[in-house]
Amino acid sequence: MSNEANVPQNPAVLVVPHLRVQNANAISSPMTWGFPSITAFTGLMTALERRLGRDAGIAFFGVGVVCHGFEAQVTDSGYTRAFHLTRNPVLRDGSTAGIVEEGRVHLDLTLVFEVNVDDAHRSEAEAQLLAERVAHELAGMRVAGGSVMPPLPGSARQFRRPLLELRYDDSQEEARSKQFRRLARRCLPGFALVSRDDLLLDRLAKLREEQPEASALDAWLELASWTQRAVQRPPKNGETEPTVEWVSDTRIGWTVPIPVGFAALSPVHPAGSVAGARDKETPFRFVETVWSIGQWISPHRLHRLDDLFWYPTTQPDIAADAEGEIDLYCCRNDYTPPTPARLAEASV
């Protein structure tokens, strides 16, 4: 992964629009299913940078994901769903091979990368050539375990071309805003995934007002579920008895439970010391999934490009529990929810 010490300081944004991904992984963690984990896209970003090589003149820092289409490969029967599973060939002795459950989903995605480019790609023509090269390399890679498919016949080609533009600095606020609005329109219609850790903290604080022993898991499960409550209504229209009505709890937007990274379960083991590890040259560590809350929001409701990007971060020893320190390897997103004053302005 790139760092600020070894890349030229020409910040830019790279948009690869409307990738058709077939059979992407729909089981994003041990407790969630649906859209692939954001770690799949930060991993894709790192793999893409390595595949392009240092001589390409581009370095990747963050990735934003906008979903235009989602088609889960499931059977739908009321409240029960089941994945479409493949039947494996029989074994040598003719017996039936075991079925490993795999969740798949077809996606239509736009990927927005925060990048740095060298001086040779500052011109519009050179930037477009570099964007085309990145899109070509990406077309031959796996995206969240799925295959990138060519555009459907008859699709609007003008919105399928990748775009690479230099970003304006902080002193050019108006130009930065116009650039963001123009790029946001290219991502419509669609929904961008952003982090809402603040909702998890707020819900945990409210739960602990009534249940001091409540944990973050309790708050996460509440935010991840649809909750209905029985509300007693006073008599009306000549009725003598009060009525009971089931009311769903309100939700702040389209919120979803998401995995955002991993927490260490063990110290770092030397390379090759753990049996069964796929890479014998890299130090090994046992980890478990870290969950949070995300929100799908239309790109035109964001206020800056930085709201869109997810960054892979290594945060050793920042969290502590009763047994000691915990190392985290998580994806960070800098989305800032609108204030009440901003919401009032948007509703006018």
Side-chain angles (χ1 to χ4, degrees), residues 94-118:
S95 60
T96 302
I99 296 179
V100 179
E101 187 174 26
E102 296 179 349
R104 298 182 178 87
V105 59
H106 300 338
L107 300 169
D108 183 3
L109 303 172
T110 289
L111 299 181
V112 184
F113 296 98
E114 183 184 30
V115 300
N116 271 295
V117 295
D118 59 17

Side-chain angles (χ1 to χ4, degrees), residues 268-344:
V268 178
H269 300 283
S273 63
V274 177
R278 288 183 291 181
D279 188 348
K280 301 296 185 181
E281 299 179 357
T282 304
F284 186 91
R285 195 171 205 178
F286 291 96
V287 296
E288 64 178 351
T289 306
V290 174
W291 288 277
S292 185
I293 294 295
Q295 181 178 0
W296 290 105
I297 184 169
S298 181
H300 78 281
R301 295 190 181 277
L302 302 177
H303 298 277
R304 53 178 186 156
L305 275 172
D306 293 332
D307 289 341
L308 189 62
F309 296 128
W310 290 83
Y311 306 94
T313 60
T314 301
Q315 302 169 323
D317 304 334
I318 67 166
D321 59 6
E323 298 180 357
E325 297 175 337
I326 302 174
D327 291 355
L328 296 178
Y329 306 88
C330 291
C331 297
R332 173 179 57 85
N333 173 251
D334 294 334
Y335 170 74
T336 303
T339 61
R342 185 183 294 176
L343 287 174

Side-chain angles (χ1 to χ4, degrees), residues 191-192 194 196 199 203 223-226 249-257 293-298 301 335 337-338 343:
F191 292 90
V194 298
R196 293 306 307 270
L199 295 180
R203 183 59 60 93
L223 287 172
S225 61
W226 289 94
D249 288 353
T250 58
R251 297 169 68 94
I252 304 176
W254 184 0
T255 56
V256 290
I293 294 295
Q295 181 178 0
W296 290 105
I297 184 169
S298 181
R301 295 190 181 277
Y335 170 74
L343 287 174

Side-chain angles (χ1 to χ4, degrees), residues 13-15 66 110 112 163-167 176-188 299 305 308-309:
V13 57
L14 170 65
V15 182
V66 181
T110 289
V112 184
L163 175 68
L164 177 61
E165 286 187 358
L166 294 177
R167 296 184 63 181
R176 284 170 63 97
S177 179
K178 288 183 178 180
Q179 181 186 45
F180 169 69
R181 293 302 171 192
R182 177 167 45 81
L183 294 177
R185 286 195 296 270
R186 291 175 60 95
C187 298
L188 296 176
L305 275 172
L308 189 62
F309 296 128

Side-chain angles (χ1 to χ4, degrees), residues 49-247:
E49 183 180 50
R50 292 176 178 176
R51 187 163 180 168
L52 290 168
R54 294 180 179 272
D55 297 335
I58 186 171
F60 293 76
F61 289 91
V63 58
V65 183
V66 181
C67 182
H68 307 283
F70 178 92
E71 184 183 349
Q73 301 303 292
V74 298
T75 58
D76 192 352
S77 177
Y79 291 100
T80 303
R81 296 185 180 184
F83 288 115
H84 295 167
L85 302 179
T86 57
R87 181 63 179 270
N88 299 326
V90 297
L91 301 179
R92 291 183 178 181
D93 58 0
S95 60
T96 302
I99 296 179
V100 179
E101 187 174 26
E102 296 179 349
R104 298 182 178 87
V105 59
H106 300 338
L107 300 169
D108 183 3
L109 303 172
T110 289
L111 299 181
V112 184
F113 296 98
E114 183 184 30
V115 300
N116 271 295
V117 295
D118 59 17
D119 293 333
H121 297 95
R122 290 180 60 90
S123 67
E124 184 176 347
E126 291 296 332
Q128 186 60 39
L129 288 176
L130 179 57
E132 296 284 355
R133 178 185 174 185
V134 173
H136 177 74
E137 291 291 343
L138 191 58
M141 299 177 64
R142 292 279 187 171
V143 178
S147 303
V148 178
M149 308 299 292
L152 293 173
S155 59
R157 294 183 179 274
Q158 65 271 23
F159 296 111
R160 303 284 178 174
R161 295 188 64 188
L163 175 68
L164 177 61
E165 286 187 358
L166 294 177
R167 296 184 63 181
Y168 294 96
D169 56 32
D170 296 336
S171 63
Q172 301 170 300
E173 184 175 353
E174 183 177 355
R176 284 170 63 97
S177 179
K178 288 183 178 180
Q179 181 186 45
F180 169 69
R181 293 302 171 192
R182 177 167 45 81
L183 294 177
R185 286 195 296 270
R186 291 175 60 95
C187 298
L188 296 176
F191 292 90
L193 183 63
V194 298
S195 174
R196 293 306 307 270
D197 295 342
D198 59 305
L199 295 180
L200 188 61
L201 296 175
D202 291 344
R203 183 59 60 93
L204 178 58
K206 292 179 180 178
L207 281 179
R208 286 182 172 173
E209 291 177 0
E210 300 179 357
Q211 307 173 20
E213 70 282 0
S215 65
L217 178 60
D218 297 322
W220 184 78
L221 291 174
E222 278 212 3
L223 287 172
S225 61
W226 289 94
T227 306
Q228 287 189 321
R229 304 179 188 275
V231 178
Q232 188 175 28
R233 302 297 188 187
K236 60 181 179 179
N237 298 331
E239 297 176 351
T240 58
E241 298 291 336
T243 59
V244 176
E245 180 181 354
W246 287 93
V247 179

